[in-house]
Amino acid sequence: MSAWTVAMLASGALFSATVAYFTWVRIPQWRELTYEEFRADFGRWLRRADAVQPMLAVAFLVSTVRFAQGADGANRLVAWVAAGGLAVSLVGSVAVMVPLQRRIAAGRSRRPEQARQRWYRGHLVRTSLVMPAFALAVVAAI
C-alpha cells in the first residue's frame, strides 16, 4: 500500500468522521436548544472544528488527487470522482458555509432562525458529498 493510499484513507476517515459527528450528533442536539443556547454551543464547537477540519479536508483532497494520479483503470476514475466530490464540498464550505457560520457565531444574523436552518441544510449537503467521496476513496484503494 502506497503512502498516498494510507494518507487518503487516514485523512478521509478522520474528516468523514468529523462531518458525520456534526450531522448525527450535534445537529439533533442543537435542534432542541433555544437560538441563544445553540449559538453559544455552536461557537464553542466551531472553534474546535476550525482547528482541525480544514486541514483534514485539504489533506484528504490532496492525497486523493495524488492517489488518482498514480492509479490505473477503474481505481483511477473512482478516485477522481471522489476528489471531485471533495472539491465541490470544499468550495461550497468556503463560499457559503464559513461566512454563514461566522455570522451565526458572532450573533450577526438578521434572521437567526433562518440562518440556523440554512446551516443545517448546508451541512447536510456537505455530508452528502463527503460520505460518498470517502466510500469511493475506499473502493478505489481496494
Side-chain angles (χ1 to χ4, degrees):
M1 189 175 295
S2 76
W4 288 117
T5 306
V6 172
M8 175 179 70
L9 295 175
S11 61
L14 291 169
F15 179 60
S16 299
T18 64
V19 170
Y21 176 78
F22 279 90
T23 302
W24 286 289
V25 177
R26 297 310 312 159
I27 289 176
Q29 290 174 349
W30 286 335
R31 288 184 191 278
E32 303 296 320
L33 302 178
T34 67
Y35 183 78
E36 284 308 312
E37 292 169 329
F38 157 74
R39 195 175 71 73
D41 194 58
F42 183 78
R44 280 190 297 275
W45 280 98
L46 187 62
R47 283 187 296 280
R48 292 176 185 159
D50 280 354
V52 180
Q53 268 192 324
M55 175 187 62
L56 291 172
V58 169
F60 186 22
L61 178 59
V62 168
S63 59
T64 302
V65 166
R66 293 304 305 248
F67 173 88
Q69 289 172 335
D72 295 321
N75 291 357
R76 174 180 226 146
L77 176 62
V78 171
W80 279 117
V81 173
L86 288 169
V88 170
S89 171
L90 278 171
V91 168
S93 291
V94 170
V96 177
M97 297 297 287
V98 170
L100 176 60
Q101 61 200 34
R102 288 192 176 147
R103 281 193 308 275
I104 291 170
R108 290 183 285 133
S109 297
R110 284 177 284 186
R111 296 186 180 114
E113 220 22 79
Q114 288 177 338
R116 173 167 45 173
Q117 295 306 315
R118 186 173 175 213
W119 190 89
Y120 292 163
R121 285 189 305 273
H123 186 73
L124 292 175
V125 169
R126 177 172 32 208
T127 304
S128 70
L129 291 166
V130 170
M131 301 312 282
F134 178 60
L136 290 170
V138 171
V139 167
I142 54 175

